[in-house]
């Protein structure tokens, strides 16, 4: 509000590390104390002017809600310091509302004076940092939940009144930590914070890998954009949060299993004298590594995130169908001895996988 009363004075506020030629207030952080210089100036605001009387101060938002207040008595002085201001709310457009009354020591708020003004510079009070939690295990193509938080300085309390929406002032990214590996796609439900918190946001990542999940502000659309002209990025932007998460294959399928005998028929040999050296059975199979959506995972290879895969082939010959017609060891009269079950583990080295197969 412009001054409409006593024209002999004009008050202003700025950071204590600045001066009257630099009357800016930089971005502040929720729950982190800060100090302001309160200055009495001449009616043109060009130079200091001593003042005697009561000065009332309030930190207000764009809706004139007050978050901190202070009374200072000026005793024939032109500056004072408001120290240890601490606000735990997020405010996108804050200002210092100043009112004063000359030659009296009165209570705040002043009720019978119209000497009042706002600080020259508006400023923001932002959360200190982002934080997020993830499930213990995440599988390619399977939905999972992420919980997001915007936290106060030196505290795990969430920042009241931080209610920003995804992709308005902040974004969530997923990036592979290995060069040369394909980048998967992160699907994330739209959401907005409510008092610095949004839990159980549905997400889905369609590839495997060691993935950096990051929540960070969008520079140029950040919460504290009002301060882009007087505050550097490190102070103005909310501190990002990154967590490295392993995303695993959802399933490994073994298909097209076939058994081929050395005879090319359904039987091998009638065994006599335990001479089975020429008996053999070849097993063939196809392996595929997939997401839950049934997509082959191309990064399952030796260069990226493949592993050797052990597959056990088991055949209970004593419970078999017509594919095996002879199940006896020894003489044909010894009907109590059975052929051993087929129980063989084969290692498929990661080097043979290409495009997830």
């Amino acid at each position: 509000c412009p001054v409409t009363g006593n024209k002999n004075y004009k008050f202003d506020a700025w950071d204590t590390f600045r001066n009257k030629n630099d009357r800016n207030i930089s971005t502040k952080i929720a729950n982190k104390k800060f100090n302001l210089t309160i200055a009495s100036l001449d009616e043109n605001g060009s130079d200091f002017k001593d003042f005697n009387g009561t000065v009332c101060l309030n930190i207000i938002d764009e809706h004139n809600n007050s978050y901190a207040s202070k009374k200072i008595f000026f005793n024939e002085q032109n500056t004072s310091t408001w120290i240890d201001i601490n606000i735990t709310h997020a405010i996108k457009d804050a200002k210092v509302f100043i009112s004063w009354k000359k030659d009296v020591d009165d209570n705040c708020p002043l009720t019978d004076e119209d000497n009042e003004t706002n600080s020259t510079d508006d400023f923001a009070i932002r959360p200190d940092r982002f934080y997020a939690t993830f499930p213990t295990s995440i599988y390619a193509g399977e939905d999972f939940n992420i919980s997001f938080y915007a936290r106060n300085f030196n505290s795990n309390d969430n920042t009241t009144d931080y209610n920003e929406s995804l992709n308005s002032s902040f974004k969530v990214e997923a990036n592979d930590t290995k060069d040369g590996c394909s980048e998967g796609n992160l699907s994330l439900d739209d959401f907005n914070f409510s008092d610095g918190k949004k839990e159980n946001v549905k997400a889905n990542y369609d590839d495997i890998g060691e993935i950096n999940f990051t929540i960070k502000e969008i520079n140029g659309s950040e919460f504290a954009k009002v301060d882009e002209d007087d505050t550097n990025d490190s102070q103005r932007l909310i501190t990002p949060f990154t967590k490295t998460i392993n995303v695993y294959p959802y399933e490994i399928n073994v298909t097209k299993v076939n058994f081929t005998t050395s005879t090319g028929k359904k039987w091998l040999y009638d065994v006599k004298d335990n001479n089975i050296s020429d008996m053999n059975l070849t097993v063939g199979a196809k392996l595929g590594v997939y997401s839950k959506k049934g997509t082959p995972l191309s990064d399952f290879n030796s260069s990226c995130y493949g592993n050797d895969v052990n597959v056990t082939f088991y055949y209970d010959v004593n419970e078999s169908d017509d594919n095996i017609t002879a199940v006896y060891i020894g003489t044909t009269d010894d009907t109590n001895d059975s052929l051993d079950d087929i129980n063989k583990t084969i290692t498929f080295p990661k080097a043979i996988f290409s495009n997830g197969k």
Side-chain angles (χ1 to χ4, degrees):
C1 300
V3 176
T4 57
N6 192 330
K7 297 293 186 180
N8 293 321
Y9 297 92
K10 180 179 178 67
F11 277 82
D12 209 344
W14 55 76
D15 288 320
T16 53
F17 56 85
R18 303 182 192 270
N19 56 54
K20 69 180 178 65
N21 298 316
D22 177 17
R23 301 179 192 178
N24 289 306
I25 303 175
S26 62
T27 303
K28 307 308 177 190
I29 299 173
N31 199 47
K32 187 174 184 179
K33 294 179 180 180
F34 62 95
N35 305 324
L36 293 174
T37 295
I38 309 300
S40 170
L41 305 168
D42 61 32
E43 61 181 308
N44 297 318
S46 58
D47 205 353
F48 293 111
K49 183 175 181 177
D50 287 349
F51 178 77
N52 186 79
T54 301
V55 178
C56 299
L57 307 167
N58 286 272
I59 304 292
I60 61 173
D61 63 15
E62 61 268 36
H63 304 296
N64 294 322
N65 298 309
S66 178
Y67 296 88
S69 60
K70 178 73 174 179
K71 170 189 171 182
I72 298 179
F73 184 77
F74 273 63
N75 185 12
E76 298 298 337
Q77 63 195 86
N78 54 43
T79 61
S80 185
T81 304
W82 186 2
I83 65 171
D84 293 340
I85 308 166
N86 190 19
I87 297 174
T88 58
H89 293 248
I91 306 175
K92 185 172 285 190
D93 192 357
K95 60 198 70 175
V96 184
F97 174 69
I98 310 169
S99 59
W100 63 93
K101 189 173 184 179
K102 187 179 179 182
D103 294 332
V104 296
D105 186 358
D106 207 346
N107 294 324
C108 295
L110 300 172
T111 58
D112 57 352
E113 282 288 327
D114 58 2
N115 294 314
E116 58 189 34
T117 190
N118 292 325
S119 54
T120 298
D121 190 44
D122 293 358
F123 64 101
I125 302 174
R126 65 164 175 85
D128 176 53
R129 66 199 185 279
F130 288 120
Y131 185 70
T133 60
F134 296 79
T136 303
S137 299
I138 297 176
Y139 298 94
E142 183 176 53
D143 290 344
F144 61 97
N145 289 329
I146 310 175
S147 293
F148 296 97
Y149 306 91
R151 295 272 168 85
N152 287 344
F153 175 76
N154 201 30
S155 169
N156 286 329
D157 291 340
N158 303 315
T159 305
T160 303
D161 293 331
Y162 182 78
N163 302 318
E164 294 293 286
S165 300
L166 177 66
N167 295 325
S168 59
S169 65
F170 70 91
K171 59 184 176 180
V172 179
E173 296 179 338
N175 296 292
D176 203 307
T177 59
K178 283 189 178 181
D179 292 336
C181 300
S182 63
E183 292 283 354
N185 297 304
L186 174 66
S187 300
L188 191 68
D189 281 358
D190 287 337
F191 73 94
N192 59 277
F193 283 93
S194 177
D195 286 334
K197 178 175 70 174
K198 182 59 179 180
E199 296 182 322
N200 297 321
V201 178
K202 187 171 72 173
N204 191 295
Y205 191 75
D206 66 359
D207 207 348
I208 57 172
E210 188 178 75
I211 310 301
N212 283 335
F213 289 91
T214 300
I215 176 173
K216 65 180 182 180
E217 288 205 281
I218 302 169
N219 199 337
S221 300
E222 67 275 13
F223 182 82
K225 185 174 172 59
V226 68
D227 291 317
E228 64 181 348
D229 62 336
D230 59 47
T231 308
N232 60 37
D233 288 359
S234 62
Q235 176 69 15
R236 192 178 72 257
L237 301 179
I238 300 171
T239 301
F241 176 81
T242 296
K243 187 174 181 63
T244 303
I245 300 290
N246 288 314
V247 182
Y248 301 102
Y250 180 76
E251 61 184 3
I252 299 177
N253 286 340
V254 181
T255 59
K256 297 184 178 180
V257 178
N258 62 81
F259 296 90
T260 305
T261 63
S262 56
T263 63
K265 300 179 180 180
K266 291 185 177 181
W267 52 273
L268 291 175
Y269 291 96
D270 291 328
V271 179
K272 293 183 179 180
D273 302 324
N274 292 328
N275 182 17
I276 60 173
S277 60
D278 290 333
M279 294 178 63
N280 63 80
L281 185 69
T282 301
V283 179
K286 182 177 181 179
L287 265 66
V289 184
Y290 298 94
S291 73
K292 188 174 182 178
K293 298 176 181 179
T295 306
L297 299 172
S298 60
D299 276 351
F300 195 89
N301 56 53
S302 58
S303 299
C304 293
Y305 300 105
N307 289 291
D308 294 346
V309 178
N310 293 326
V311 178
T312 299
F313 294 92
Y314 178 78
Y315 197 101
D316 185 349
V317 296
N318 297 301
E319 298 294 332
S320 65
D321 55 22
D322 291 339
N323 288 327
I324 294 182
T325 56
V327 293
Y328 303 114
I329 289 179
T331 67
T332 55
D333 295 330
D334 187 358
T335 60
N336 295 318
D337 292 329
S338 63
L339 188 68
D340 289 342
D341 293 336
I342 300 172
N343 191 351
K344 178 68 175 178
T345 298
I346 300 175
T347 298
F348 291 75
K350 60 185 178 182
I352 69 173
F353 284 88
S354 176
N355 294 320
K357 297 180 180 179

